[in-house]
Amino acid sequence: MKKYRDLSPSPRTIMTPGPVEADPRVLRAMSFPILGQFDPEFTGLMNETMEMLRELFQTTNRWAYPIDGTSRSGIEAVLTSLIEPGDRVFVPIFGRFGHLLVEIAERCGAMVSTLEQEWGKVFDQEQVIRHIGANRPHIVAMVHGETSTGCMQPLADIGKACREMDVLFVVDAVATIGGVPVEPDEWCIDAVIGGTQKCLSIPSGMAPISYNQRAEAKVLKRKKIERGLRPAHHPESSQTQIRGIQSNYFDLSQLQDYWSADRLNHHTEATSMLYALREGVRIVLEEGLEARFARHRAQEAALVAGIQAMGMTLYGDPTCKLPVVTCVMIPPGVDGESVRAMLLDDFGIEIASSFGPLKGKIWRIGTMGYSCRKKNVLHILGALEAVLARHGARVHTGQAVQAALDSYGRSRYE
Ligand SMILES: *Cc1c(COP(=O)(O)O)cnc(C)c1O
């Protein structure tokens, strides 16, 4: 038999837009023994997790629970449950993840319309609102923090307009939850999807979601159709077949029954991931949302000060910069992939490349969750400067780390 080596992943400094370093407390939580999914001790943990997620999402929504799967499973569960085939869905796109919303909505049978913003910018909310008014979609789906471009879209006005026009508003807050303010109730978001492996510093594998009564009403309407309330011989019966929620795994009506006091059996809850989620969100709430957002801002400021002190240029409109992802233009003549490889091999640091039109043009540096620490920011600045010098890039040397230290000043951030 072939002998495989013991697993021993290298310790890394992960400065990407996800997955980021998991908090050691989260990793410890994952090693605890399994409990049965209907064991009262476990259902107690499930209930507590829902309560904690409501705090994380700053919402009074009844429903806040995780979908088992990566972040896109949360997006897919929400869209699959809300979109009836033929529904008009409007997706304003300002980066890669907008296209993901389109793809999923199309698979759900939606008639999708889009508006595209040049990458590196976000939408003027009025422009989006005018489009909604003119086209009256059933659902508007939008990304909050675009990790592909490092931009963050203001949402409050769009949300209020959707509410007034009775349009459901779905938001992908995968990259922002736990790192910058996300306020579904204030911004009139009907369904919101978060991610674990970004600012929550939990491994990938769950997607916390929350939705309000308006979204639930649509889900329950589709549930009634699905459960055959219309007789089989009814002329519309062939239609009723497809109008129900087409997925079992992603059926929010079944999932909320499973998470409710009824505990109607659905899937087997991912025990160790639930431990991880509970611990990860507990850490966020212990730190306090405001303090956590301020920490992310302070680390971002230090990173940006260091990058600029090297004479490098940031990518994207600074007025809509996503605080947890900093996009940097690759200096002329420098092979971006070679720099990333050297950072990884010699310094154990990972930063991200980019997609589509930005491929080879920018690096993306994440400052998310547990990875968002002074030690990491100083480490990446020192390492990047050294690696760029090795690559013959014309950058100012000797100033990046100093500029970051100045930025921290006497702040207490670690
Ligand atoms: C990372 C990310 C996703 C996808 O997450 P997966 O966990 O890879 O499914 C979706 N939307 C945004 C904005 C993201 O940053």
Side-chain angles (χ1 to χ4, degrees):
M1 194 187 90
K2 182 169 176 216
K3 197 165 180 303
Y4 296 101
R5 281 184 295 127
D6 282 351
L7 186 63
S8 67
S10 304
R12 298 284 196 220
T13 299
I14 310 184
M15 303 299 278
T16 68
V20 305
E21 298 167 38
D23 193 295
R25 272 175 56 184
V26 170
L27 296 176
R28 280 201 295 278
M30 295 183 82
S31 67
F32 287 121
I34 301 299
L35 289 166
Q37 64 173 338
F38 297 114
D39 182 328
E41 198 174 315
F42 189 69
T43 54
L45 294 176
M46 289 170 73
N47 288 345
E48 263 180 17
T49 305
M50 282 195 284
E51 205 176 297
M52 291 155 78
L53 287 179
R54 271 182 223 114
E55 276 189 59
L56 176 70
F57 283 117
Q58 306 187 65
T59 184
T60 57
N61 288 345
R62 174 173 182 204
W63 297 116
Y65 56 84
I67 304 296
D68 291 351
T70 70
S71 314
R72 76 189 56 208
S73 78
I75 299 173
E76 195 140 5
V78 166
L79 293 183
T80 302
S81 296
L82 289 183
I83 297 172
E84 281 181 85
D87 274 357
R88 290 184 304 280
V89 175
F90 173 43
V91 184
I93 303 170
F94 59 102
R96 180 193 184 209
F97 287 105
H99 290 285
L100 176 66
L101 293 174
V102 171
E103 209 227 273
I104 295 175
E106 279 176 345
R107 283 172 190 260
C108 297
M111 313 251 296
V112 180
S113 65
T114 61
L115 207 56
E116 288 198 43
Q117 177 56 286
E118 187 188 327
W119 284 31
K121 295 182 177 168
V122 296
F123 287 95
D124 169 19
Q125 295 190 78
E126 282 308 317
Q127 186 195 358
V128 173
I129 293 167
R130 274 198 302 279
H131 194 281
I132 298 169
N135 295 280
R136 293 295 169 141
H138 297 91
I139 296 170
V140 173
M142 228 175 157
V143 173
H144 183 215
E146 252 298 350
T147 36
S148 62
T149 62
C151 291
M152 184 164 71
Q153 172 70 51
L155 298 169
D157 295 347
I158 298 171
K160 285 190 188 90
C162 283
R163 189 65 51 93
E164 279 162 17
M165 293 187 257
D166 197 23
V167 172
L168 285 176
F169 190 34
V170 174
V171 170
D172 166 351
V174 168
T176 43
I177 196 74
V180 299
V182 178
E183 298 176 35
D185 292 5
E186 281 291 309
W187 303 347
C188 299
I189 297 169
D190 296 299
V192 58
I193 302 104
T196 52
Q197 78 271 31
K198 309 212 176 180
C199 297
L200 297 182
S201 279
I202 300 164
S204 165
M206 261 191 182
I209 63 166
S210 181
Y211 51 94
N212 63 14
Q213 285 176 340
R214 283 160 47 85
E216 185 184 8
K218 176 108 189 229
V219 170
L220 293 181
K221 185 183 125 206
R222 301 189 68 204
K223 175 181 177 173
K224 284 195 186 126
I225 293 164
E226 180 183 38
R227 300 281 155 87
L229 288 192
R230 298 183 196 186
H233 59 267
H234 191 280
E236 279 179 58
S237 63
S238 61
Q239 231 190 350
T240 62
Q241 288 277 313
I242 43 164
R243 282 164 57 99
I245 295 166
Q246 63 269 38
S247 167
N248 168 291
Y249 195 69
F250 290 140
D251 179 345
L252 295 185
S253 76
Q254 291 194 41
L255 284 164
Q256 68 180 42
D257 284 345
Y258 175 68
W259 281 86
S260 78
D262 294 342
R263 302 272 164 219
L264 296 187
N265 196 17
H266 187 254
H267 63 292
T268 308
E269 189 48 17
T271 321
S272 309
M273 272 310 295
L274 196 273
Y275 296 160
L277 179 67
R278 183 181 175 282
E279 188 64 7
V281 179
R282 195 165 77 102
I283 291 167
V284 173
L285 298 179
E286 272 173 9
E287 182 175 0
L289 290 175
E290 290 310 320
R292 194 170 174 94
F293 301 150
R295 170 166 65 85
H296 280 84
R297 281 280 182 196
Q299 304 290 356
E300 176 206 26
L303 176 66
V304 167
I307 295 286
Q308 289 177 335
M310 276 189 257
M312 290 204 289
T313 312
L314 298 187
Y315 166 81
D317 177 354
T319 62
C320 59
K321 187 184 175 304
L322 174 60
V324 295
V325 181
T326 298
C327 295
V328 183
M329 302 291 297
I330 299 173
V334 171
D335 176 351
E337 285 309 287
S338 170
V339 167
R340 285 201 326 119
M342 191 170 171
L343 282 172
L344 191 66
D345 295 342
D346 292 330
F347 295 87
I349 301 177
E350 185 184 2
I351 63 170
S353 57
S354 53
F355 313 102
L358 296 176
K359 199 163 192 289
K361 299 211 173 88
I362 64 166
W363 293 302
R364 297 174 305 138
I365 304 177
T367 39
M368 294 177 154
Y370 187 71
S371 280
C372 178
R373 281 175 291 156
K374 188 176 186 178
K375 156 186 162 305
N376 284 5
V377 169
L378 297 177
H379 191 186
I380 177 67
L381 287 171
L384 187 58
E385 183 183 301
V387 172
L388 283 170
R390 282 273 168 183
H391 280 75
R394 267 181 268 121
V395 293
H396 309 309
T397 51
Q399 292 168 35
V401 174
Q402 297 303 325
L405 287 169
D406 288 343
S407 171
Y408 287 115
R410 279 194 225 143
S411 76
R412 62 200 157 76
Y413 293 106
E414 284 187 5

